[in-house]
Amino acid sequence: MTSTPRLNPRLRAVARGVGAATTGLLVLGLTGAVVGAATLAPPPEATTVPPPEISVGAAPLSMVCAGPPLLASDDGSDIDVDDEFGSGGADLVAVAEAVVLGRDGEPPAATWSSVGGDPVEVPGTGDIRYLSQSDPSGPALLRAEPDGDSTALAAGASAARQDAGDLRGLAAAECQAPSSSIWLVGGATELGSSARLTLTNPGDTAVAASVDIWGAAGQVSADNPVLVGPGASESILLESLSLEPRIAVRVSADGGRLTAEIQDNALNGVVPAGTDLVTATADPGLDLTIGPVPLPETDASAAAPSVVRLANPNTEPTTVTVSLLGEDGEEVLAGTEGMILEPGAVTDVSLAGVPAGSWTVRVGADQPVTGAVMLTRLGEAGELDPDEPVLDRAWMPARTAVDHGLLAIPGLGSVVDDAGLAITNPLEEDQTVTLRPVDPAGQVGEPVEIDLGAGTTENVTDRLDLSNAVAVEVSGTAVLASVALSAEAADGQLLSMLPLTPDADEDQSVTVRLGP
């Protein structure tokens, strides 16, 4: 048997050292080659891969319609009226209506209910779903299912009329989509005035809200907490928080979304000075548009003219210019070029002396502001005070121009005697606006095309038949539209305004970003 010769231990150690050295040299050589290659050919530049957008489909539409005005005590509840002073006055008549228009034929399913109550189906007729509720007792909720891949095209409004008494006036409000941040400009809390803020939660969970108030000299109250339960409404008399000749309010919601409106009513001594509902206005911005609004031949009086109310929520002075868009284009309102709004102040700018007609107010500012217009209608004096005529008021909120929407016309022929429609082109170029009236039988009228010059406003009531209309569909490039509702009481005209309800359909998609 042949044996393998063994190396001397010292020789084995030397051999292992030589092998390790050789391996190390090979590794160093390979590393150097890699580094050299990287130096000669740098890696390609990194590219950003855009995150994918995923469509989430159309969502159901929810809108809250305000209840009728109420005489209120300091806790927001109804009070007994004194017949000797005519506080109750004539019976209040009210209506709430909803219209859902099919985009390409049959309209989607929709339900109607009092807030927190059991829903009923909105009946379909022709190309629409339409419901009219007489004498609603409080806020109501309209829910409409998606129309195919789009959010439903819907609008609604409530209107209430009282011809005498403390609540004399015509008060109307469009049904509003809930939001987490709401600005309201209008009303007063000084002696003789009442501003009742109503918050409504159409959702299934409680919402914590915070209420901030600005007045004539700046912010006067902040972070007032209000908890609104699911399917419930809560009311606050703002005069219990601060006494102000003019106010602006911001409502911020946490944990859900709300709607909000202010019931504004006033007395001059014992004489009614108007009632209306103040609804959400545009968020503060650098370019504000309010209208169209109808100004009469002569404004109400030197003591109570129609006004533009502007709120400056900033902590520094803001410079603004107010202009008017009328039939002949845009012109600056006298005395308002470069006007200074003090920090936090709510300011009224008189419209007395502006010629009669339909006008839209435009406000340019160097810091974000918001606002509204208050219209007044002077009536006749009565037995309560022969020297003080009655007055009615109507609030029109600021809105952003849109390309499509619905104008609701509630109670025409019952609560409302007449309706006037006006449109505005705020653009710097001409545009064509298309109008289609809708009647309660579900018939959609033939489209009427209106050519509007740049920066102009036109009253188009005589261009289409509104005698039996419950809504008007409005289409354009970027258009403002409003309907003026009026009624004739024995002692003078009653007035309220409704803005265009924008088409709620929008691109429903979310951006997905991947991360660790």
Side-chain angles (χ1 to χ4, degrees):
M1 182 173 183
T2 304
S3 61
T4 302
R6 294 187 174 182
L7 292 176
N8 184 286
R10 180 172 295 181
L11 291 175
R12 286 201 304 269
V14 171
R16 282 196 302 269
V18 171
T22 303
T23 302
L25 290 172
L26 288 172
V27 170
L28 289 174
L30 289 172
T31 303
V34 171
V35 172
T39 303
L40 293 174
E45 294 183 1
T47 58
T48 302
V49 178
E53 291 191 357
I54 299 177
S55 174
V56 296
L61 176 66
S62 295
M63 306 180 82
V64 175
C65 308
L70 297 171
L71 287 170
S73 65
D74 57 358
D75 63 356
S77 61
D78 294 322
I79 62 173
D80 293 330
V81 297
D82 191 335
D83 291 334
E84 180 181 353
F85 291 99
S87 298
D91 291 337
L92 184 141
V93 292
V95 67
E97 296 184 0
V99 177
V100 182
L101 181 61
R103 294 184 182 275
D104 294 306
E106 184 177 351
T111 60
W112 176 272
S113 66
S114 60
V115 172
D118 295 329
V120 297
E121 184 180 356
V122 178
T125 172
D127 294 331
I128 70 168
R129 291 188 180 273
Y130 169 70
L131 182 143
S132 179
Q133 179 186 5
S134 299
D135 297 320
S137 59
L141 175 62
L142 169 66
R143 291 187 187 274
E145 295 302 314
D147 191 349
D149 295 330
S150 302
T151 304
L153 177 59
S158 56
R161 170 181 174 179
Q162 188 164 334
D163 287 8
D166 288 358
L167 293 180
R168 177 191 180 274
L170 180 62
E174 74 280 12
C175 300
Q176 302 182 92
S179 176
S180 59
S181 179
I182 304 167
W183 282 88
L184 303 128
V185 177
T189 57
E190 63 184 349
L191 186 64
S193 298
S194 179
R196 178 176 177 169
L197 172 67
T198 298
L199 306 179
T200 300
N201 174 14
D204 298 326
T205 59
V207 176
S210 178
V211 178
D212 303 322
I213 306 174
W214 284 261
Q219 189 166 4
V220 295
S221 185
D223 299 327
N224 298 284
V226 183
L227 182 64
V228 188
S233 294
E234 296 290 340
S235 293
I236 309 170
L237 291 180
L238 298 180
E239 54 265 34
S240 66
L241 301 176
S242 180
L243 299 179
E244 293 291 328
R246 46 191 179 270
I247 59 171
V249 175
R250 180 181 62 194
V251 177
S252 304
D254 186 15
R257 296 186 176 190
L258 302 170
T259 62
E261 72 271 352
I262 294 174
Q263 176 189 314
D264 171 40
N265 59 279
L267 297 172
N268 289 329
V270 295
V271 176
T275 299
D276 201 16
L277 295 172
V278 177
T279 56
T281 196
D283 288 342
L286 302 180
D287 186 13
L288 205 65
T289 49
I290 314 168
V293 294
L295 296 179
E297 289 291 344
T298 55
D299 214 348
S301 68
S306 299
V307 298
V308 182
R309 178 164 296 180
L310 299 176
N312 173 21
N314 305 290
T315 57
E316 298 180 355
T318 297
T319 302
V320 302
T321 296
V322 180
S323 58
L324 299 172
L325 281 64
E327 288 186 356
D328 298 325
E330 186 170 2
E331 56 185 80
V332 174
L333 181 63
T336 67
E337 188 170 5
M339 183 174 64
I340 303 297
L341 303 181
E342 295 301 322
V346 180
T347 304
D348 281 352
V349 180
S350 174
L351 291 173
V354 176
S358 294
W359 301 87
T360 283
V361 175
R362 169 173 276 163
V363 181
D366 64 355
Q367 293 188 89
V369 298
T370 188
V373 166
M374 183 186 74
L375 302 171
T376 55
R377 292 295 185 267
L378 191 66
E380 301 173 0
E383 295 180 357
L384 289 176
D385 188 342
D387 297 324
E388 189 69 50
V390 295
L391 193 72
D392 196 22
R393 63 183 61 196
W395 286 98
M396 180 68 185
R399 289 295 167 91
T400 302
V402 296
D403 60 5
H404 191 210
L406 278 179
L407 267 174
I409 307 177
L412 189 58
S414 56
V415 176
V416 175
D417 294 338
D418 196 17
L421 194 152
I423 54 177
T424 296
N425 173 17
L427 302 177
E428 295 181 356
E429 60 270 357
D430 299 350
Q431 69 165 301
T432 299
V433 178
T434 303
L435 308 173
R436 292 200 307 165
V438 181
D439 69 24
Q443 299 298 316
V444 179
E446 290 297 321
V448 176
E449 293 188 347
I450 309 292
D451 294 326
L452 276 181
T456 62
T457 297
E458 184 176 343
N459 186 321
V460 295
T461 308
D462 59 353
R463 302 282 295 273
L464 66 167
D465 182 11
L466 296 179
S467 59
N468 194 35
V470 294
V472 175
E473 183 182 12
V474 180
S475 304
T477 303
V479 62
L480 298 163
S482 68
V483 60
L485 306 176
S486 61
E488 293 297 329
D491 52 0
Q493 188 186 57
L494 310 177
L495 179 70
S496 193
M497 298 293 303
L498 290 177
L500 180 67
T501 298
D503 186 349
D505 188 53
E506 57 185 17
D507 189 13
Q508 301 284 336
S509 63
V510 294
T511 300
V512 178
R513 295 183 182 276
L514 302 178

